[in-house]
Amino acid sequence: MSKLVITGGQKLKGDLVVDGSKNAVLPILAATVLNGGLNVIKNCPGLKDVHIMIEILKKIGCKVKFEDNTVIIDSSTVNSTVVPEEYAVEMRSSIIFLGPILSRFGRATVGHPGGCDIGPRPIDLHLKALKKMGTRIQDIQSGVIFSEAEKLKGADIQLDYPSVGATENIMLAAVYAEGDTYIRNAAKEPEIIDLQNFLNKMGVKVSGAGTSVIHIVGGNTKLNDVEHAIIFDRIVAGTYMAAAGITGGSVTLKNIIPEHINAIISNMRECGCRINVKKSELHISGPARPKAIDIIRTLPYPGFPTDMQAQMVALMSVARGTSIIVETIFENRFMHVEELLRMGADIKLEGRLAVIKGVKRLTGANVAARDLRGGAALVLAGLAAEGETTVNDIKHIDRGYEIIEKKLAQIGALIRREV
Ligand code: EPZ
């Protein structure tokens, strides 16, 4: 099992170009099924989750080539509507294939993604919307969903919760549906805007992404080939900002879109980081010791992102004062706390609330990543801790960070991967 070995105490210094967004590229990879043509996707991060999506695309018959962060997908050769169940277990985002395959072929079979480390991760909102569009859904056997619709019909869908995945699945299902689809209480994340831009290039009329009402004009027949560059990963950017904050470093991030990280910038400034923002660059200098932040709640965009919660817990664990962090999105997203306690953090958990009493220094320890962002938080803690920290089970981290040790070493971290 690979692990990362980190020697703490280095102030990070230097420039980093932020990679393309995992949560933008995954739905866009699924969307390439729609046009039965050529799709060139640039600035694609080389992540484990991306490789799994590429495996699925090949399994259903696409021709795929991936090199130098560009992936080329020819979906004219799709010859199956079945996403093998094992993929749903390996990566829950595979549910995003349901909408495009169903829309183009009238039927789709995908494994139920089931829960994951951070919560049960239901898909009721996805299925409820697809049923409203005329889909018949049945569980062929436990855990596999078969969906069929002679012709999907556009519908006016009110989401009970602004689910990112459900918003994306409905957008993709609506492309070949008869008539228009409206998604109300839609998720407003920047990754939804990137998906809209991709679909617009394909020739689909989609508008409203980034607001709570998205309108998709259905009834499409022939769609265009697409060339598209993925937006930057705002969570990876936030993670590097927290790395500068926790080490008192001075880091410049390039290839960012500042307004996508306003909530992160505001909290980083509140704990004492100095941040200058230029067009597509941001410079951050961490304080000698961060100040505690009274309360941070994770919220749907544009609120503070749940995907940055673990990183903030790590940062606040060495802050001056006591912070409260409330995880309002997922049921079980504090697994990093147990590991941080082993490094000398003083954190009390009360359901979805963490009370973090900052300590002067953490101590290096042998810890284990339990999920993607929790693993990143342990790396951050190791960067600041006294002595050596070993982070085990880093397969979780590789799902969302491209060679994290290379990027952090580039700005002065003492970190190495041991296989
Ligand atoms: C996306 O997951 C992201 N993943 C997650 O990032 C992110 O944490 C999440 O959005 C919230 O921002 C990708 O984009 C690939 P949701 P998704 O549907 O779509 C409940 C990371 O670390 N819900 O917005 O699964 C659900 O249980 C990952 O990069 C239902 O109840 O998130 C959760 O409590 C982790 N029924 C809440 O909504 C449904 O049908 C938010 O889920 C769907 C969701």
Side-chain angles (χ1 to χ4, degrees):
M1 289 277 220
S2 305
K3 56 191 174 188
L4 291 171
V5 180
I6 305 157
T7 304
Q10 306 298 315
K11 289 182 186 308
L12 301 188
K13 275 194 180 11
D15 298 0
L16 273 179
V17 177
V18 180
D19 297 325
S21 163
K22 168 178 88 75
N23 292 349
V25 75
L26 296 184
I28 284 174
L29 288 170
T32 64
V33 166
L34 288 166
N35 67 354
L38 207 55
N39 302 275
V40 179
I41 297 167
K42 299 186 167 175
N43 200 31
C44 178
L47 301 170
K48 212 170 128 215
D49 278 10
V50 167
H51 294 303
I52 296 172
M53 289 295 268
I54 288 173
E55 276 312 303
I56 297 173
L57 287 165
K58 287 178 179 170
K59 270 270 188 252
I60 63 172
C62 295
K63 293 195 193 78
V64 188
K65 206 157 73 70
F66 182 34
E67 58 191 30
D68 299 340
N69 294 105
T70 294
V71 55
I72 300 170
I73 297 142
D74 173 359
S75 61
S76 63
T77 50
V78 173
N79 54 23
S80 164
T81 62
V82 178
V83 174
E85 190 188 353
E86 65 267 21
Y87 288 111
V89 179
E90 201 177 353
M91 184 189 65
R92 59 174 318 283
S93 315
S94 50
I95 191 67
I96 194 64
F97 276 103
L98 187 56
I101 296 176
L102 181 65
S103 193
R104 182 175 164 197
F105 298 103
R107 57 187 311 153
T109 306
V110 295
H112 194 294
C116 70
D117 317 303
I118 61 177
R121 311 296 292 274
I123 54 166
D124 56 307
L125 301 179
H126 300 238
L127 302 183
K128 189 172 152 188
L130 293 176
K131 281 178 190 157
K132 192 166 179 188
M133 296 172 77
T135 312
R136 277 184 311 292
I137 306 242
Q138 58 185 117
D139 285 351
I140 308 175
Q141 72 230 25
S142 65
V144 179
I145 300 160
F146 172 67
S147 55
E148 196 172 34
E150 279 77 50
K151 192 78 185 137
L152 283 172
K153 291 184 183 44
D156 195 317
I157 291 159
Q158 173 75 29
L159 281 177
D160 302 338
Y161 180 89
S163 153
V164 172
T167 301
E168 292 162 347
N169 236 334
I170 301 163
M171 286 168 76
L172 299 178
V175 169
Y176 286 112
E178 260 159 19
D180 291 15
T181 295
Y182 290 87
I183 308 170
R184 301 182 195 282
N185 193 24
K188 298 189 265 192
E189 275 68 4
E191 293 76 31
I192 309 270
I193 300 175
D194 210 25
L195 180 61
Q196 170 177 283
N197 294 339
F198 181 82
L199 290 173
N200 287 341
K201 287 180 185 171
M202 206 180 253
V204 183
K205 289 191 185 62
V206 188
S207 55
T211 74
S212 54
V213 181
I214 298 176
H215 173 208
I216 304 103
V217 176
N220 294 281
T221 46
K222 183 83 188 81
L223 294 174
N224 315 326
D225 292 350
V226 182
E227 178 159 332
H228 181 78
I230 301 294
I231 54 168
F232 84 113
D233 193 311
R234 59 195 169 93
I235 304 303
V236 167
T239 306
Y240 293 150
M241 290 168 72
I246 205 168
T247 61
S250 167
V251 173
T252 297
L253 298 181
K254 298 177 184 247
N255 185 33
I256 64 156
I257 304 171
E259 65 265 22
H260 289 179
I261 49 175
N262 279 338
I264 301 172
I265 290 170
S266 141
N267 275 300
M268 290 294 164
R269 282 179 169 145
E270 193 171 338
C271 73
C273 295
R274 280 199 320 284
I275 297 174
N276 295 315
V277 175
K278 281 199 290 236
K279 272 199 309 302
S280 61
E281 272 189 22
L282 172 146
H283 180 81
I284 179 168
S285 305
R289 186 179 177 190
K291 285 182 298 192
I293 296 176
D294 290 347
I295 185 156
I296 298 175
R297 282 181 195 81
T298 64
L299 289 167
Y301 192 89
F304 187 79
T306 173
D307 296 346
M308 275 296 298
Q309 176 260 102
Q311 299 90 312
M312 280 318 273
V313 170
L315 181 58
M316 292 297 100
S317 67
V318 293
R320 190 178 311 107
T322 299
S323 312
I324 293 175
I325 297 188
V326 190
E327 172 54 62
T328 72
I329 313 279
F330 287 109
E331 297 78 2
N332 179 33
R333 204 171 194 177
F334 282 125
M335 286 178 288
H336 42 285
V337 168
E338 207 176 305
E339 302 297 304
L340 290 170
L341 293 179
R342 303 180 59 240
M343 298 177 72
D346 180 351
I347 305 170
K348 289 193 179 43
L349 285 182
E350 193 59 50
R352 292 197 181 202
L353 185 139
V355 182
I356 307 151
K357 205 155 153 263
V359 296
K360 253 180 130 28
R361 294 283 284 178
L362 295 172
T363 322
N366 198 349
V367 293
R370 310 269 290 282
D371 64 83
L372 164 55
R373 307 301 175 183
L378 297 176
V379 172
L380 297 179
L383 292 172
E386 198 121 27
E388 189 170 272
T389 297
T390 301
V391 181
N392 297 288
D393 293 342
I394 56 171
K395 64 180 186 304
H396 294 289
I397 302 176
D398 291 337
R399 288 189 45 219
Y401 295 86
E402 191 175 354
I403 326 178
I404 192 167
E405 71 278 10
K406 188 168 149 238
K407 298 281 169 46
L408 290 172
Q410 214 177 298
I411 52 175
L414 292 178
I415 180 171
R416 68 177 187 276
R417 181 180 291 245
E418 285 184 1
V419 186

